[in-house]
């Protein structure tokens, strides 16, 4: 891999102490064939311009830190190969729909609040003591929620969602998917406690089904599906409780 | 609980009114198709208005109705109907396609025993039902 | 000035830190807990652990067997009382995590599944496909959200431990977002900052694993124990060091050299691919010397062959391996073998603690990879460390909370002063000067010398050179210059501070390795090839001084198992 290819990388810069609006800066980076976009950013930081700020950690697509817009699409920069863009230029911006803190770093406190609001933990009417051993859960029951437990909180889906962009109260794809994950878990009994957040106007009913969240999700969580399932389930339950008020027990 | 850290100045990018057309300099086909789907409702609504007007004319006697039918034979009206039909088809197609989303995660809403019905069957079922319903309605219309 | 105060303060929000935080808040009502983490807790590197977590769950297994495997794996350098407590409490801890929602993989009857792992004599490793650490961390983090007693300081970077009258009374931390340095007061501080793999060039470790907490403790006079023991994982991707989990061998994968042979038959015939990591990594070097390896742009490699497992097993049990190889090397393990080589993976050594996670400094505790409770000795068995985070995280959390209940806060005015001093120190050191040295250059040189002197095989001469180089690097560090002099989210500054930690840990490591003139576990000296129980069945303790570190020794605790020859 001694090929010496050079790629142009344009990065959105925002230094809140110096400027009121973002600017852009272009770097030329000599890269190796197996480099990802994040490697180029690190190369810039280490050897060209130490003032460029961005988040990263695992470089293996699992910590969820390094989501950015790459040529207009939300991507994990540690999983986006440079060679897939070459010889075109690469343009890197912070994830859209979030306020920019600095350069490629966004403010994600809004998501952290929403995550907590959907109560993403096992809720039981009565907790089983540890001494009585594990809850039994069959592979089929595991499969019921497994996909929704794969979320790495990378925020790509929020960046892809025009509804979240226009309406910040929207609980949003990942948080709903995670709430749904617990609702589907055979060990959980907390669906009622989550419902007022998830099945609310700011929850599933805000979603107009663009479906882009599921397209960009690097872990195939398919949050759109979580939302759709909840819509159908909530509607059927309401309908059931209307026609059979005596038999309502979800 | 998260400590309210000393917040700093942030920058929020404005959302362009044409976000569905040009997403930060790139055409996003899926946003566009989504908006198209939203747009279908406009045509469906227009068609319904037209249809109600037609029924209203029926109460005014066969002549008024016939004259109206005649006027619909013009180019623009035919074009309108074709477009409305296409939109209606597109809307129904995508809407029924969504039914698969109830199924995929293993935990389907429609199950036989413990096995989740594969999403493709749900979709095919929905499309099938749609086609059958269309045929029945067409039959009723053409024979009555 | 208003200083936040907590009964117990966690430095680190990974597996160990979060477990400790929950344990501390459950120890007594009203306990007020703080968690400081330089990344959002769910980004901590526990997230990347793949293979699984060990505990005795089945009838064909028992506690003594788990203990014996661990002790033998450690080459008899672990403290056996620690191991006995560990295997016992491990069982409850993994069940507790199951109750907190961890999606463990299951058998048909609904029990959690177990798989085989290197150095374990029976199947006892619980797993959640091959994303065990990810699921454990998110289950812990999401569960921690329900405890209102826990206050988080996300993206705050701890720069020093505050000491008054010989006891730790808090920390100073940089709020990365604002650029301000604050004091945070605490009656007990627990260090859970993870390992230090990033002092080496090729590692499975994330960017955040620079030994921060070890250096923080070292700087206030707390010894670092058994630092010389660094585990190489035999199957990392060349170059990037991305891990191919040991579970891929546990599920039946083969290691094959360039001659097409399963070469391990020569080195660990009894265990083959399930031999312990230190031995497997050394076998690779032997094969390299025999020229039985493939050559690539990132050095030599052998093949990890999973093809015979078939697509179904791979997708069910090793989906992440498939995802990683497809994304990063364009190889589908269903059809092609994966190139792998040994890469730095885990630090057995760390902050010296007793069986409860207490360090010799009052008020200071440690748990997880940053700590050395002496469970892992000279070589950790795969899947013991996630369990270690749980067991000793919980223990440290409880003991630290009890300590807090009988202690008072230190004077906040003096803490505020210390924070101001710290802010000044950092500003002068990094913003005040026009230093010429770049962080990245010193870091690269450090990594190079660590690989050369303190790699898989070590010698007196190479180690001496490494010690000398580290000394000059520390001099160069004094002349460091950073590009970024702004405050908001200054990652240039964070990297520079981290480099300071790395240099301290590297120094302790190299000197401890130099003085251990024997081969034991992961510490292989080409000039002293035998294990020497007479002189070295003891822990090393590295203390920081103004010059080179001072190395002292501590006896190993033996209970029921006498050291024996370690063959597999
Ligand atoms: C790729 C990989 C795979 C692995 N697989 C397995 C496995 O299958 N089984 C197993 O048992 N073990 C495995 N391990 C080992 C195991 O994952 C780790 O030892 C364990 O997760 C360490 O957890 P921790 O809580 O100690 O530290 P980490 O999870 O690394 O967390 C460290 C925390 O400290 C914080 N921190 C660090 N420095 C500072 C600072 N200066 N200021 C503030 N906060 C700070 C970080 O933000 C982070 O929250 C694996 C390791 C790797 C790298
Ligand atoms: S749902 Fe997918 S895209 Fe959204 S945060 Fe989770 S992993 Fe990222
Ligand atoms: S750096 Fe962890 S997901 Fe990219």
């Amino acid at each position: 891999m001694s090929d010496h290819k050079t790629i142009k990388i344009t990065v959105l810069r925002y230094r809140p102490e110096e400027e009121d609006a973002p600017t852009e800066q272009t770097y030329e980076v000599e890269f190796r064939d197996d480099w990802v976009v994040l490697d180029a950013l690190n190369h810039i930081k280490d050897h060209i311009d130490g003032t460029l700020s961005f988040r990263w950690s695992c470089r293996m697509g699992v910590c969820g830190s390094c989501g950015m817009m790459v040529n207009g699409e939300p991507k994990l920069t540690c999983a986006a190969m440079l060679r897939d863009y070459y010889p075109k230029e690469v343009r890197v911006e912070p994830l859209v729909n979030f306020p920019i803190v600095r350069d490629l770093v966004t403010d994600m406190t809004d998501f952290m609040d929403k995550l907590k609001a959907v109560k993403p933990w096992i809720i039981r009417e009565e907790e089983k003591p540890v001494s009585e051993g594990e809850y039994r859960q069959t592979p089929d029951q595991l499969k019921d929620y497994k996909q929704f437990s794969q979320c790495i909180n990378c925020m790509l889906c929020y960046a892809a969602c025009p509804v979240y962009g226009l309406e910040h109260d929207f609980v949003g794809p990942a948080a709903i998917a995670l709430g749904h994950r617990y609702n589907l878990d055979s060990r959980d009994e907390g669906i009622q406690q989550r419902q007022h957040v998830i099945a609310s106007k700011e929850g599933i009913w805000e979603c107009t089904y663009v479906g882009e969240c599921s397209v960009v999700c690097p872990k195939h969580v398919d949050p759109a599906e979580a939302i759709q399932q909840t819509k159908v389930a909530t509607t059927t339950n309401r309908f059931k409780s209307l026609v059979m008020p005596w038999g309502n027990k979800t | 609980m998260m400590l309210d850290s000393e917040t700093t100045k942030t920058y929020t990018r404005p959302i362009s009114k044409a976000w569905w057309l040009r997403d930060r300099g790139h055409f996003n086909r899926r946003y566009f198709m989504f908006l198209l789907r939203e747009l279908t409702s406009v045509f469906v609504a227009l068609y319904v208005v037209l249809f109600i007007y037609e029924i209203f004319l029926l109460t005014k006697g066969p002549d008024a109705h016939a004259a109206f039918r005649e006027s619909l034979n013009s180019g623009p009206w035919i074009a309108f109907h074709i477009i409305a039909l296409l939109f209606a088809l597109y809307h129904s197609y995508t809407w029924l396609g969504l039914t698969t989303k109830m199924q995929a995660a293993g935990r389907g809403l429609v199950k036989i025993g413990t096995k989740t019905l594969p999403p493709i069957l749900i979709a095919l079922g929905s499309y099938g039902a749609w086609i059958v319903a269309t045929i029945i309605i067409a039959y009723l219309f053409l024979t009555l | 000035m208003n200083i936040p105060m907590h009964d117990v303060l966690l430095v680190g929000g990974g597996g160990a830190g979060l477990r400790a935080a929950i344990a501390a808040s459950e120890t007594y009502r009203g306990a007020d807990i703080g968690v400081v983490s330089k990344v959002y807790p769910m980004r901590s590197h526990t997230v990347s652990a793949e293979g699984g977590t060990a505990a005795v769950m089945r009838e064909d297994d028992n506690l003594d067997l788990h203990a014996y495997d661990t002790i033998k794996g450690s080459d008899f350098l672990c403290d056996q009382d620690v191991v006995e407590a560990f295997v016992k409490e491990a069982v409850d801890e993994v069940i507790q995590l199951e109750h907190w929602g961890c999606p463990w993989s299951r058998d048909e009857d609904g029990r959690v599944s177990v798989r085989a792992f290197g150095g374990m004599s029976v199947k006892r490793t619980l797993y959640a496909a091959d994303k065990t650490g990810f699921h454990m961390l998110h289950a812990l983090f999401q569960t921690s959200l329900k405890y209102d007693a826990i206050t988080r300081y996300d993206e705050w970077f701890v720069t020093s431990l505050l000491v008054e009258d010989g006891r730790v009374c808090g920390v100073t931390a940089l709020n990365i977002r604002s650029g301000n340095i604050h004091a945070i007061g605490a009656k007990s501080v627990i260090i859970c900052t993870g390992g230090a793999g990033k002092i080496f060039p090729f590692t499975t470790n994330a960017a955040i694993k620079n030994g921060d907490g070890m250096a923080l403790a070292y700087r206030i006079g707390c010894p670092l124990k058994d630092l010389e023991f660094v585990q190489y994982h035999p199957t990392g991707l060349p170059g990037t060091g991305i891990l191919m989990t040991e579970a891929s061998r546990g599920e039946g994968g083969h290691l094959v050299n360039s001659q097409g042979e399963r070469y391990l038959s020569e080195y660990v015939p009894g265990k083959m691919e399930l031999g312990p990591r230190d031995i497997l990594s050394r076998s690779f070097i032997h094969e390299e010397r025999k020229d039985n390896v493939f050559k690539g742009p990132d050095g030599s490699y052998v093949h990890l062959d999973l093809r015979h497992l078939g697509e179904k097993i791979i997708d069910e049990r090793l989906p992440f391996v498939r995802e990683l190889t497809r994304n990063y090397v364009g190889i589908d393990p269903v059809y092609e073998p994966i190139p792998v080589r040994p890469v730095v993976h885990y630090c057995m050594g760390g902050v010296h603690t007793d069986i409860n996670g207490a360090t010799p400094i009052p008020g200071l505790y440690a748990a997880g990879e940053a700590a050395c409770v002496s469970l892992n000795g000279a070589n950790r068995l795969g899947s013991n460390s996630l369990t270690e985070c749980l067991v000793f995280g919980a223990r440290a959390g409880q003991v630290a909370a009890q300590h807090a209940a009988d202690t008072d806060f230190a004077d906040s005015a003096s803490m505020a002063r210390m924070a101001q001093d710290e802010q000044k120190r950092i500003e002068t050191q990094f913003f005040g000067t026009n230093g010429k040295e770049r962080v990245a250059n010193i870091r690269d040189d450090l990594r190079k010398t660590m690989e050369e002197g303190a790699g898989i095989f070590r010698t007196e001469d190479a180690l001496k050179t490494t010690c000398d180089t580290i000394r000059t690097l520390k001099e160069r560090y004094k002349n460091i210059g950073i590009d970024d002099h702004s405050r908001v989210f200054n990652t240039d500054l964070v990297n520079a501070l981290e480099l300071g930690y790395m240099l301290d840990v590297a120094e302790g490591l190299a000197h401890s390795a130099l003085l251990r003139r024997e081969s034991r576990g992961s510490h292989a000296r080409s000039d002293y090839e035998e294990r020497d129980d007479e002189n070295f069945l003891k822990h090393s303790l590295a203390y920081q001084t103004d010059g080179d570190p001072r190395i002292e020794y501590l006896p190993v605790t033996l209970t029921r198992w006498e050291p024996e020859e370690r063959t597999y």
Side-chain angles (χ1 to χ4, degrees):
Chain A
M1 259 167 273
S2 53
D3 42 354
H4 289 288
K5 286 188 266 184
T6 306
I7 193 162
K8 264 201 187 136
I9 303 203
T10 300
V11 179
L12 201 75
R13 300 296 309 267
Y14 173 60
R15 284 145 295 199
E17 291 147 90
E18 292 164 30
E19 53 206 8
D20 288 323
T23 53
E24 50 187 54
Q25 194 162 349
T26 303
Y27 303 93
E28 290 208 8
V29 177
E30 203 176 286
F31 73 103
R32 275 175 42 157
D33 219 36
D34 56 354
W35 275 21
V36 292
V37 172
L38 179 64
D39 292 331
L41 295 178
N42 271 317
H43 179 84
I44 294 170
K45 177 146 195 93
D46 285 350
H47 302 291
I48 306 175
D49 180 356
T51 68
L52 181 65
S53 271
F54 48 92
R55 292 186 177 110
W56 72 290
S57 179
C58 70
R59 204 207 171 275
M60 56 191 282
V62 69
C63 76
S65 310
C66 69
M68 298 170 209
M69 308 299 292
V70 181
N71 287 359
E73 283 203 48
K75 289 268 181 204
L76 291 181
T77 48
C78 73
M81 305 300 292
L82 275 177
R83 60 167 185 258
D84 294 343
Y85 298 95
Y86 183 81
K88 275 202 302 199
E89 291 184 20
V90 171
R91 188 181 165 81
V92 187
E93 292 184 29
L95 286 180
V96 293
N97 298 341
F98 293 97
I100 309 177
V101 172
R102 154 94 190 249
D103 297 342
L104 300 167
V105 177
T106 56
D107 183 350
M108 57 176 280
T109 41
D110 181 48
F111 169 74
M112 297 307 283
D113 294 342
K114 284 172 174 161
L115 178 65
K116 186 173 175 183
V118 301
K119 304 199 175 184
W121 53 80
I122 296 278
I123 298 173
R124 304 269 311 170
E125 270 148 33
E126 214 171 310
E127 300 215 7
K128 174 165 153 175
V130 166
S131 56
E132 285 174 24
E134 76 229 64
Y135 294 105
R136 294 289 179 108
Q137 184 169 68
T138 64
D140 271 346
Q141 288 172 321
L142 171 65
K143 218 166 145 202
D144 282 351
Y145 68 88
K146 180 111 197 262
Q147 169 192 321
F148 301 120
S149 72
Q150 306 287 335
C151 171
I152 61 172
N153 303 354
C154 67
M155 303 293 97
L156 301 195
C157 52
Y158 283 76
C161 176
V163 177
Y164 181 67
L166 296 164
E167 191 46 73
H168 265 75
D169 288 339
F170 179 35
V171 179
I176 293 181
L178 281 163
H180 191 54
R181 168 243 176 281
Y182 283 93
N183 285 344
L184 295 181
D185 192 316
S186 58
R187 295 167 288 189
D188 184 83
E189 299 166 344
I191 187 165
Q192 289 305 346
Q193 292 190 39
R194 293 187 196 97
Q195 218 53 357
H196 71 99
V197 181
I198 294 181
S200 68
K201 190 180 152 299
E202 289 75 31
I204 48 174
W205 301 114
E206 189 87 62
C207 169
T208 52
Y209 210 82
V210 183
E212 191 69 0
C213 51
S214 296
V215 175
V216 300
C217 175
K219 299 292 150 186
H220 312 293
V221 173
D222 205 345
E225 181 181 303
I227 296 176
Q228 210 59 15
Q229 286 188 356
T230 317
K231 279 182 182 171
V232 176
T234 312
T235 316
T236 18
N237 283 340
R238 272 201 200 140
F239 187 69
K240 268 194 211 153
S241 66
L242 273 182
V243 290
M244 307 184 291
W246 59 92
N248 178 32
K249 42 170 202 253
T250 28
Chain B
M1 190 184 95
M2 158 82 181
L3 191 97
D4 234 356
S5 62
E6 312 140 283
T7 34
T8 55
K9 186 174 99 183
T10 57
Y11 182 83
T12 305
R13 283 155 288 178
I15 295 185
S16 136
K17 292 229 165 50
W19 60 267
W20 48 275
L21 202 57
R22 289 188 67 72
D23 178 33
R24 282 159 291 279
H26 298 267
F27 176 69
N28 182 324
R29 194 181 62 87
R30 289 175 301 258
Y31 283 175
F32 182 73
M33 296 306 273
F34 162 73
L35 214 85
L36 222 55
R37 193 173 81 226
E38 300 290 284
L39 210 65
T40 58
S41 47
V42 175
F43 283 85
V44 172
L46 285 178
Y47 183 80
V48 169
V49 169
L50 200 69
F51 192 65
I52 292 174
Y53 180 64
E54 190 177 340
I55 292 173
F56 165 75
L57 285 181
L58 272 180
T59 65
K60 298 273 166 193
D63 288 350
H65 183 244
F68 174 71
R69 300 281 308 206
E70 192 56 35
S71 72
L72 286 186
N73 268 337
S74 66
W77 276 119
I78 291 174
F80 168 79
H81 275 91
I82 290 175
I83 293 173
L85 177 68
L86 287 178
F87 270 118
L89 285 174
Y90 179 62
H91 190 102
S92 311
Y93 173 75
T94 50
W95 199 88
L96 291 173
L98 287 183
T99 54
T100 60
K101 288 288 171 194
M102 311 181 314
Q103 287 305 93
R107 161 83 164 213
L109 292 172
V110 186
K111 287 196 177 193
I112 295 178
T114 60
K115 288 289 166 231
T116 295
L117 221 56
I120 184 78
L121 280 188
I122 299 284
L124 288 179
S126 318
Y127 291 136
W130 178 35
I131 292 169
V132 169
T134 311
I135 292 174
I136 293 176
I137 292 172
Y139 175 79
L140 290 177
F141 256 92
L142 295 178
T143 52
L144 289 182
Chain C
M1 189 175 158
N2 238 342
I3 292 180
M5 299 273 199
H6 299 285
D7 293 316
V8 179
L9 188 70
L10 276 301
V11 183
L18 292 172
R19 183 65 191 92
I22 295 175
S25 62
E26 285 184 341
T27 298
Y28 68 91
R29 192 178 269 281
D32 178 347
I33 317 298
V35 177
V36 190
S37 177
K38 64 180 175 180
V39 293
Y40 277 95
M42 69 278 186
R43 317 285 191 220
S44 305
H45 204 49
T46 297
V47 81
S48 70
E50 299 170 20
T53 184
V56 172
M57 298 297 282
R58 291 295 160 89
E59 300 71 33
D60 64 348
D61 199 2
N62 63 59
L63 299 181
D64 276 2
L65 204 55
H66 189 187
Y68 175 71
D69 286 345
T70 304
I71 292 164
K72 185 174 172 191
S74 80
D75 220 346
F76 297 89
L77 196 71
C78 57
D79 285 343
Q80 297 181 359
D81 54 341
V82 169
V83 177
E84 290 189 67
F86 167 77
V87 295
K88 193 154 153 275
E89 287 161 34
V91 183
D92 278 357
E93 281 298 328
V94 297
I95 292 175
Q96 176 65 78
L97 209 64
E98 195 274 338
H99 287 197
W100 284 337
C102 186
W104 298 118
S105 294
R106 304 280 179 158
D107 285 359
E108 280 306 325
D109 64 2
R111 291 189 300 171
V112 294
S113 305
V114 285
R115 65 165 38 135
F117 237 68
M120 301 282 186
S121 49
V122 298
K123 289 188 179 179
R124 69 162 69 95
T125 297
L126 293 79
Y127 59 99
D130 55 356
K131 293 190 179 177
T132 310
F134 162 77
H135 285 299
M136 284 178 58
L137 184 67
H138 280 253
L140 280 169
F141 177 61
Q142 289 166 6
T143 300
S144 80
L145 293 175
K146 79 176 177 197
Y147 291 86
D148 287 329
I150 299 177
T151 304
R152 291 204 326 273
Y153 299 81
D154 294 340
E155 301 194 317
W156 285 50
F157 180 91
V158 173
T159 63
S160 74
L161 298 173
L162 296 177
V163 183
E164 203 176 56
D165 300 332
R167 75 180 175 97
V168 170
C169 60
V171 305
T172 57
L174 168 77
N175 178 353
I176 300 176
R177 168 99 183 241
S178 71
N180 296 330
I181 302 242
H182 295 270
I184 306 175
K187 296 174 183 171
S188 308
V189 172
I190 313 180
I191 289 181
C192 298
T193 52
K198 277 287 173 187
I199 59 178
F200 288 86
F202 301 110
T203 171
T204 61
N205 284 196
I208 56 172
K209 301 196 75 166
N210 304 304
D212 301 19
M214 300 179 190
L216 288 169
Y218 188 53
R219 287 175 185 181
I220 60 160
C222 181
L224 301 182
K225 186 167 55 184
D226 291 341
L227 265 191
E228 62 270 39
F229 298 101
V230 177
Q231 179 169 77
Y232 276 73
H233 196 294
T235 57
L237 294 180
T240 59
I242 290 174
L243 178 75
M244 297 293 109
T245 173
E246 186 159 303
S248 52
R249 284 171 282 128
E251 297 295 345
H254 293 159
L255 282 173
V256 181
N257 66 16
S258 62
Q259 309 300 313
E261 305 155 345
R262 284 177 68 191
Y263 59 93
L264 291 173
S265 57
E266 200 175 315
Y267 311 95
V268 267
K271 288 248 171 196
M272 293 299 286
E273 277 79 6
L274 289 178
R277 293 174 179 173
D278 54 338
I279 301 183
L280 260 54
S281 294
R282 281 195 292 276
S283 310
F284 173 88
I285 303 289
H286 291 307
E287 288 298 297
E288 194 174 38
R289 288 178 183 160
K290 286 196 254 171
D291 223 7
N292 280 347
V293 291
F294 302 95
K295 298 268 186 307
D298 290 303
S300 41
Y301 60 89
V302 289
H303 276 155
L304 171 64
D305 195 345
L306 306 180
R307 287 174 294 184
H308 54 285
L309 300 181
E311 188 162 5
K312 187 163 176 293
I313 297 264
I314 292 178
D315 279 349
E316 209 172 277
R317 312 231 180 110
L318 305 166
F320 196 36
V321 163
R322 194 171 186 198
E323 179 185 326
L324 288 169
T325 49
R326 275 177 163 179
N327 284 353
Y328 290 100
V329 280
I331 279 178
D332 186 343
V334 173
Y335 307 106
E336 287 164 279
I338 309 167
V340 291
R341 58 164 295 124
V343 289
V344 167
H345 186 54
Y346 184 86
C347 297
M348 269 69 77
V351 180
H352 169 44
T353 75
D354 67 9
I355 194 167
N356 290 318
T359 73
I361 315 258
L364 186 65
Y365 301 80
E369 193 172 340
C372 181
V373 276
S374 290
L375 168 70
N376 302 308
N379 174 60
R380 166 183 76 107
L381 286 194
S383 77
N384 264 354
S385 61
L386 287 174
T387 319
E388 174 183 0
C389 288
L390 298 175
V391 171
F392 293 100
R395 274 192 173 228
Q398 282 151 9
V399 174
Q402 279 151 13
H403 171 81
D406 317 323
T407 316
D408 289 326
F409 285 116
D411 172 41
S412 67
S414 80
M415 280 193 268
R417 245 185 337 270
M418 291 191 256
Q420 277 165 8
D421 292 347
E422 180 70 355
Q423 180 118 22
K424 238 175 259 139
R425 172 185 81 89
I426 287 174
E427 276 169 10
T428 347
Q429 187 177 358
F430 298 102
F431 298 160
T433 59
N434 283 320
K436 292 279 173 306
E437 293 284 354
R438 277 194 87 80
V439 173
N441 295 343
I442 300 184
R443 200 168 54 200
D444 286 349
D445 290 351
L446 173 67
R447 289 174 178 164
K448 188 154 161 278
T449 193
M450 290 308 283
E451 166 108 330
E452 283 165 2
I456 296 183
F457 282 102
R458 302 163 169 181
T459 63
E460 190 88 6
D461 287 346
L463 275 165
K464 275 194 178 133
T465 312
T466 297
C467 290
D468 292 344
T469 311
I470 296 173
R471 206 173 302 120
T472 50
L473 291 176
K474 288 190 98 166
E475 282 306 312
R476 279 171 62 192
Y477 182 70
K478 291 186 184 144
N479 189 28
I480 200 131
I482 60 175
D483 294 349
D484 193 347
H485 287 195
S486 67
R487 281 169 165 267
V488 175
F489 226 96
N490 186 340
T491 47
D492 210 11
L493 174 62
V494 170
N495 291 349
L497 290 166
E498 285 173 339
L499 177 58
Y501 296 146
M502 294 163 85
L503 288 164
D504 281 358
V505 174
E507 169 196 84
L509 196 160
H511 282 89
S512 307
L514 179 65
L515 294 188
R516 186 173 283 278
R517 297 193 172 94
E518 65 156 353
S519 289
R520 181 187 298 273
S522 68
H523 175 71
R525 291 276 303 245
S526 310
D527 42 1
Y528 301 92
E529 288 189 333
E530 296 302 315
R531 191 174 88 193
D532 178 359
D533 285 343
E534 194 121 337
N535 295 306
F536 286 105
L537 185 59
K538 55 189 184 185
H539 304 294
S540 65
L541 295 176
Y543 289 85
Q544 191 172 44
T545 72
D546 287 339
D548 288 341
R550 182 177 82 248
I551 310 293
E552 294 181 5
Y553 292 94
L554 191 74
V556 170
T557 310
L558 303 177
T559 58
R560 292 188 280 144
W561 293 272
E562 276 306 308
E564 55 186 53
E565 207 194 331
R566 182 167 170 254
T567 49
Y568 288 95

